[in-house]
């Protein structure tokens, strides 16, 4: 601090000498006003100003105090400990010149009230303000702990050191730093409030930056160096390369999958790593361990040809599949679609488990992307192929009804596969919508294999085909135009219902006779045997078209062709009678 008032030690003139000077001035015809001015000036020059720093001399040391002469016949006492830095012993001797702060020119005992500590503080503030302005470091020592940080003695001025500014990393035990003289950086200061905030961390970071720059300058990408594992995180480990840290990412630790760095590294362990990349601007270094080992992918294509089967270990399971390790550093993905022939919409975790050993087939290799596609189901035979071999078409099978839909029944079969019975294949006699109502989930049913499509993974079954095709068996060689005998089973207004070999058919009223007068259903009785002509054989609807009228017309035509024309004068009765008589002969 600059003090405009001259210090007493620098102006040691005595009143006697001043009076002699005044006499000389008087002798020179000095005016009274000038004499008064000189007198006042001499007193102002000689008298130290209270609240300022003055120089003094140690004239005695007694009872732990130093007696100091500050001039103008003023003496004061100061505790010797005020002349020592924190943690050090005071070095003071009689005759030493020191600076002290004059608090008061005289106390009750007639002594000056002085303080070395306050003088040091004023001196320190002047020095610190200059250092702060020039952004220079200052020396100090940590001597106490306060809430949120520590107190630092900066050679007379007390500063606050926040806990976050002690070191680059949190410090658990600050004991070794207490009382140690070391450099600090002033972050801010306010002389009026007496506040100073300093940082030790800024000094360390600057030193580390210089050290990092030096170490990085000696490194080159591709170098293999030794380092010490300093810290481990979920994504990697920080390795100390001798003053500078590099990041060893988990994916660069080994060619195989590493779930957590702690699987292969420990804090304090010395490892050999390769410098992968150096960022000159940010001073970040990327390291790798696997780069110092042989790449197993160089031999993958030769060791794992397509469609070859190998044993691997499941390392990870996801929603879309499972990763299987074929060897250290070589993993393949079994997509969910390649895990099972029959389980289509099941999570992979329901099929395999982590660490399980499984047999897989190599489906595809992409060396550029370092990917291997594997198949689990390909190591087992296609169950539809197996079923087709064991149960060819027209073979009877038995299974449980697994599901009932609007278009049919799904029946569980051997090999954990399903077959479907379509609505049209449930019953010969009932409509599909009606026939399906007779079945419930869990029912055991028998059916006949209608078709096996291995490529589409479909099996068609038929329940109604059990025991053969009744319609085909019934009609046999019956063709259109054939004359067959049927039995009347029901009389209705629109016609009659008849049965032939267990197959029902309906003869409409218009087909009951050639003569319109005879087209009356009531002239027939249930149980009557009637000869009819087959007018249609419909295998799709499984119906026979029958007609009595058509039979009569056919018989008339045949008789006319055989015995003459109706134009010859003979009646139809005569012709038919003759035909019948000729037939009897």
């Amino acid at each position: 601090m600059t003090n405009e008032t001259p210090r007493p030690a620098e102006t040691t003139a005595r009143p006697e000498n001043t009076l002699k000077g005044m006499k000389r001035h008087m002798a020179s015809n000095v005016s009274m006003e000038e004499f008064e001015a000189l007198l006042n000036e001499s007193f102002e020059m000689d008298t130290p100003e209270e609240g300022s720093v003055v120089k003094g001399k140690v004239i005695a040391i007694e009872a732990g105090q130093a007696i100091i002469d500050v001039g103008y016949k003023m003496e004061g006492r100061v505790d010797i400990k005020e002349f020592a830095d924190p943690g050090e012993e005071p070095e003071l001797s009689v005759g030493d010149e020191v600076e002290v702060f004059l608090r008061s020119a005289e106390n009750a005992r007639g002594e000056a009230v002085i303080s070395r500590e306050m003088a040091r503080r004023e001196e320190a503030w002047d020095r610190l303000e200059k250092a702060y302005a020039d952004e220079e470091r200052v020396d100090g020592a940590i001597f106490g702990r306060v809430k949120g940080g520590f107190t630092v003695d900066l050679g007379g001025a007390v500063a606050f050191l926040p806990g976050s500014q002690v070191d680059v990393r949190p410090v658990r035990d600050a004991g070794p730093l207490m009382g140690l003289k070391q450099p600090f950086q002033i972050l801010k200061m306010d002389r009026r409030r007496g506040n100073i905030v300093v940082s030790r961390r800024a000094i360390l970071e600057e030193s580390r930056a210089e050290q990092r720059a030096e170490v990085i300058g000696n490194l080159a990408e591709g170098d293999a160096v030794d380092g010490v594992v300093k810290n481990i995180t979920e994504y990697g480990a920080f390795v100390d390369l001798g003053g500078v840290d590099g990041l060893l990412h988990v994916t660069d630790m080994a060619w195989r999958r590493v779930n957590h760095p702690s699987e292969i590294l420990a804090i304090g362990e010395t490892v050999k790593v390769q410098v992968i990349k150096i960022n000159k601007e940010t001073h970040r270094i990327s390291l790798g361990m696997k780069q110092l080992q042989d790449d197993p992918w160089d031999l993958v294509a030769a060791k794992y040809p397509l469609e070859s089967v190998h044993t691997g270990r499941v390392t990870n399971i996801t929603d879309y599949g499972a990763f299987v390790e074929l060897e250290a550093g070589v993993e393949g993905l079994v997509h969910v679609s390649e895990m099972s022939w029959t389980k289509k919409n099941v999570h992979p975790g329901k099929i395999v488990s982590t660490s399980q050993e499984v047999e897989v087939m190599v489906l595809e290799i992409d060396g550029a992307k370092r990917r291997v596609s594997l198949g689990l189901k390909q190591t087992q035979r296609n169950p539809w192929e197996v079923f087709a071999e064991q149960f060819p078409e027209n073979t009877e099978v038995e299974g449980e009804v697994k599901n009932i839909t609007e278009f049919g029944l799904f029946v569980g079969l051997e090999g954990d596969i399903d077959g479907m019975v379509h609505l049209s294949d449930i019953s010969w006699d009932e409509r599909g919508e009606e026939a399906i109502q007779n079945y419930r989930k869990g029912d055991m049913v028998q059916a006949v294999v209608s078709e096996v499509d291995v490529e589409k993974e479909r099996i068609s079954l038929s329940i109604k085909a059990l025991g053969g095709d009744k319609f085909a068996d019934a009609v046999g060689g019956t063709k259109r135009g054939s004359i067959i005998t049927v039995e009347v089973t029901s009389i209705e207004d629109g016609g009659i219902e008849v049965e032939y070999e267990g197959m029902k058919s309906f003869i409409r009223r218009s087909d009951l006779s050639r003569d319109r007068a005879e087209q009356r259903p009531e002239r027939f009785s249930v149980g009557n045997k009637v000869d009819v002509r087959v007018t249609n054989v419909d295998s799709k609807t499984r119906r026979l078209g029958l007609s009595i009228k058509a039979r009569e017309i056919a018989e008339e035509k045949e008789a006319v062709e055989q015995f003459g024309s109706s134009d010859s004068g003979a009646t139809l009765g005569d012709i038919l009678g003759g035909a019948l008589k000729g037939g009897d002969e």
Side-chain angles (χ1 to χ4, degrees), residues 265-373:
L265 294 177
I267 294 178
E269 179 183 359
T270 300
V271 293
K272 183 171 287 295
V273 293
Q274 185 181 74
V275 179
I276 299 176
K277 186 178 180 180
I278 299 176
N279 190 321
K280 299 292 185 181
E281 296 180 359
T282 62
H283 288 179
R284 291 182 178 177
I285 303 175
S286 298
L287 305 174
M289 288 176 61
K290 70 180 184 182
Q291 287 76 5
L292 298 176
Q293 306 166 2
D294 293 334
D295 187 353
W297 274 88
D298 295 339
L299 302 174
V300 166
K303 292 179 65 175
Y304 304 99
L306 298 181
E307 297 187 0
S308 59
V309 178
H310 305 272
T311 300
R313 182 176 61 88
V314 178
T315 58
N316 193 28
I317 297 175
T318 67
D319 291 338
Y320 53 85
F323 288 91
V324 177
E325 184 183 62
L326 299 177
E327 65 173 85
V330 179
E331 278 188 345
L333 172 65
V334 181
H335 194 267
V336 64
S337 62
E338 306 295 345
M339 302 196 78
S340 173
W341 290 108
T342 57
K343 299 175 182 177
K344 302 296 184 182
N345 298 315
V346 178
H347 190 276
K350 301 289 185 179
I351 301 174
V352 296
S353 58
T354 305
S355 299
Q356 178 184 352
E357 287 195 352
V358 293
E359 280 195 342
V360 290
M361 177 181 286
V362 179
L363 304 181
E364 183 182 356
I365 295 178
D366 188 338
K369 295 183 179 179
R370 304 172 74 88
R371 293 178 181 173
V372 178
S373 296

Side-chain angles (χ1 to χ4, degrees), residues 169 208 212 226-242 244-250 253 261-262 265-271 273 283-287 289:
R169 290 187 177 87
R208 284 170 60 87
R212 287 173 66 90
D226 290 330
V228 179
V229 178
K230 200 169 184 180
N231 190 26
I232 293 178
T233 67
E234 291 186 358
Y235 55 85
F238 288 94
V239 180
D240 185 0
L241 303 179
V244 60
D245 291 348
L247 174 61
L248 174 60
H249 198 271
V250 64
M253 292 182 179
S262 59
L265 294 177
I267 294 178
E269 179 183 359
T270 300
V271 293
V273 293
H283 288 179
R284 291 182 178 177
I285 303 175
S286 298
L287 305 174
M289 288 176 61

Side-chain angles (χ1 to χ4, degrees), residues 5 8 63 95 149 173 179 194 229 236 296 357 400 404 430 441 467 509-510 534:
T5 303
D173 182 15
V229 178
E357 287 195 352
E400 179 184 345
I404 300 176
E430 294 181 286
K441 288 179 66 174
R509 175 188 287 269
S510 60
V534 179

Side-chain angles (χ1 to χ4, degrees), residues 21 46 73 106 175 210 217 250 255 274 283 312 352 458 476 498 565 583:
D46 292 341
K73 294 186 177 180
E106 187 176 3
E210 295 174 356
V250 64
W255 291 110
Q274 185 181 74
H283 288 179
V352 296
R458 293 177 183 172
V498 298
S565 171

Side-chain angles (χ1 to χ4, degrees), residues 503-516:
M503 303 300 298
K504 302 282 188 180
S505 291
F506 188 78
I507 303 175
R508 295 176 298 176
R509 175 188 287 269
S510 60
D511 286 315
L512 292 178
S513 178
R514 179 175 178 273
D515 296 332
R516 184 178 295 274

Side-chain angles (χ1 to χ4, degrees), residues 405 407-411 413 418-423 425 458-462:
T405 68
F407 49 82
L409 305 172
F410 284 91
V411 180
L413 303 172
D418 292 344
M420 189 188 78
V421 181
H422 194 269
L423 287 176
D425 288 312
R458 293 177 183 172
I459 298 175
S460 298
L461 304 175
S462 175

